């Protein structure tokens, strides 16, 4: 069996401005893979779920979160529900002497996974080791999109401005007198603060759990968590490998020697597993299942490389991980490429708010793991250098613009010119289209001579008794002579003939 959800390989238009070539070479965000954090076990009978080899994983490390309550008198705090007339107040925790229990703050680690199925029917188990008893919840919609949006690329845009007389002239277009020239976009504000969490039940380690004892002395402690018809979740701890394999057998899932060897590395009374029984409806279409949040108290997240070891299977699994944490993260073993690392601050209403980390760093890591490499050990994600690393994106844009005018707002002769500019901005904060009203410099003197203008105007059919000119209100030259000439011409043609 292979670790699941991996990428596996063998060995608005504006007046007088027309954008005619849109961005090229856009940033391709690599699909996130959840390899090396779960392992698939198939059913003993019936069909297995067909998973896409690519799905999504997100890690959040949120410090200063409520993880438990404590009593000064040594008693175990108990939860008191909110009064019926004030349910909005929430529950409280009290001690045996009636005093309020003190909150205990700590770091919560959240791993968000979203398996993608290739069709309906069947069932399978996804087994994920965790270092403490974990809580499991459905994640809000839009979670992964919001996380990906935090990885903001730096865009380098090459602009080509081409003068086009068919679009008019800048001296008669108010946009060019009001709009500033193309400029760099302002950087994002990347600071904020906040707290609060809704994915972990404080004091979970002390909650009651079910226990099954086996005749050889091994046992499994477990809690079943009901989520949806497609997910049956069990959080369990086995005293030894024999107890774990018996539990797998009792729940109808096959496992071979390779699976047992991988699971053996994570068995013990102080270690836990999250087991997901995935059973999509028969008529389910290929699509990602609802994202799940697995949460537990810990100081850091650990990439469980040893879980995916399989000496009988060749190839490499590639895993992309997005990590939200107070600072930049890097694996302690160094076996990863950092594709992006930057500060973030969540906007109000973001789906990521319930994690309780409203600002920090997002790090995009890419791992590679050879399945047959038995020396690859688990790797904790530890603080890395707070050095900004943005993905880079290149765009090329051609913009047709109105022609510039000569001194005195006279229309120039000759051909339109081309100008090139380069600007850099964040993909999340692109410049306004107003910046595309490029203010071209005055034409060359030879194109502004009376002879050149009249020759050009005659060829274009723009001849007038007073020459060729354009302006805004208040300019030294106006269209008044042209309009007066047109008016006199119409008046002459409309004068009735005298009878002879």
């Amino acid at each position: 069996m292979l670790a699941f959800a991996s990428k596996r390989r063998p060995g608005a238009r504006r007046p007088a401005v027309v954008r005619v070539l849109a961005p090229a070479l856009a940033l391709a965000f690599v699909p996130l893979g959840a390899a090396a954090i779960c392992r698939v076990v198939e059913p003993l009978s019936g069909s297995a779920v067909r998973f896409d080899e690519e799905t999504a994983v997100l890690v959040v490390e949120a410090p200063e979160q409520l993880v438990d309550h404590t009593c000064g008198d040594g008693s175990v705090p108990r939860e008191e529900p909110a009064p019926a007339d004030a349910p909005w107040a929430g529950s409280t925790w009290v001690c045996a002497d009636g005093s309020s229990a003190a909150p205990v703050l700590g770091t919560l680690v959240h791993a968000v996974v979203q398996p993608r199925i290739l069709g309906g029917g069947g069932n399978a188990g996804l087994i994920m080791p965790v270092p403490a008893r974990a809580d499991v919840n459905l994640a809000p919609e839009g979670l992964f999109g919001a996380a990906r949006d935090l990885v903001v690329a730096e865009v380098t845009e090459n602009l080509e401005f081409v003068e086009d007389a068919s679009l008019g002239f800048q001296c008669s277009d108010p946009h060019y007198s009001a709009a500033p020239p193309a400029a760099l976009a302002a950087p994002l504000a990347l600071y904020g603060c906040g707290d609060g969490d809704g994915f972990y039940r404080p004091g979970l380690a002390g909650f009651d759990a079910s226990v099954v004892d086996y005749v050889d002395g091994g046992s499994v402690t477990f809690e079943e968590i009901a989520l949806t018809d497609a997910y049956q979740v069990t959080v369990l701890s086995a005293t030894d490998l024999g107890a774990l394999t018996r539990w797998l057998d009792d729940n109808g899932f096959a496992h071979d020697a390779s699976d047992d060897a991988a699971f053996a590395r994570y068995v013990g009374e102080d270690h836990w597993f999250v087991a997901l029984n995935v059973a999509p409806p028969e008529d389910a279409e290929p699509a990602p299942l609802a994202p799940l949040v697995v949460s537990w108290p810990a100081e850091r997240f650990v990439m469980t490389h040893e879980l995916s070891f399989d000496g009988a299977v060749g190839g490499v699994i590639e895993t992309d991980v997005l990590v939200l944490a107070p600072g930049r993260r890097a694996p302690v073993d160094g076996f990863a490429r950092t594709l992006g690392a930057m500060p973030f601050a969540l906007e109000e209403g973001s789906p990521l708010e319930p994690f309780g980390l409203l600002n920090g760093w997002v790090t995009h890591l890419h791992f590679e793991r050879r399945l047959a490499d038995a020396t690859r050990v688990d790797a904790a994600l530890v603080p890395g250098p707070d050095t900004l690393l943005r993905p880079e994106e290149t765009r090329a844009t051609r913009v047709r613009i109105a022609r510039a005018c000569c001194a005195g707002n006279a229309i120039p002769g000759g051909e339109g010119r081309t100008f090139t500019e380069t600007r850099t901005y964040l993909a999340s904060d692109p410049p306004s289209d107003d910046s595309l009203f490029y203010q071209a410099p005055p034409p060359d003197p030879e194109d502004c001579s009376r002879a050149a203008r009249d020759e050009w105007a005659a060829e274009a059919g723009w001849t007038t008794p007073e020459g060729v000119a354009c302006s805004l209100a208040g300019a030294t030259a106006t269209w008044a002579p042209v309009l007066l000439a047109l008016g006199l011409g119409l008046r002459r043609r409309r004068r009735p003939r005298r009878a002879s």
Side-chain angles (χ1 to χ4, degrees), residues 261-287:
F263 293 142
R265 302 168 185 256
Y266 302 96
V267 170
E269 294 185 357
D270 57 343
H271 293 78
W272 291 75
F273 294 91
V274 174
L276 309 177
N277 186 347
V278 181
E282 291 287 343
D283 59 351
E285 298 290 336

Side-chain angles (χ1 to χ4, degrees), residues 291-387:
L292 296 179
V293 182
V294 182
S295 308
W296 64 90
E299 289 303 314
R300 57 179 59 93
F301 179 77
V302 176
M303 286 294 298
T304 51
H305 294 308
E306 297 171 42
L307 178 71
S308 58
F309 169 72
D310 197 326
V313 178
V316 176
I317 55 173
E318 301 180 8
T319 307
D320 275 25
V321 180
L322 274 181
V323 186
L324 308 186
R328 178 171 168 172
R329 291 294 181 260
V332 70
D333 64 1
F335 287 96
R337 289 184 293 121
T338 303
L339 305 182
M342 61 204 69
F344 73 88
L346 299 184
E347 295 182 357
E348 185 176 356
S350 168
L352 299 167
E353 279 187 331
F355 290 114
L357 185 71
L358 299 190
N359 62 86
W361 279 67
V362 54
T363 309
H364 182 194
L365 300 171
H366 182 83
F367 294 84
E368 292 189 1
R369 164 77 158 105
R370 295 188 177 277
L371 293 175
D373 182 3
T375 65
R376 188 72 180 274
V377 298
D378 292 352
L381 301 186
V382 297
D386 286 347
T387 304

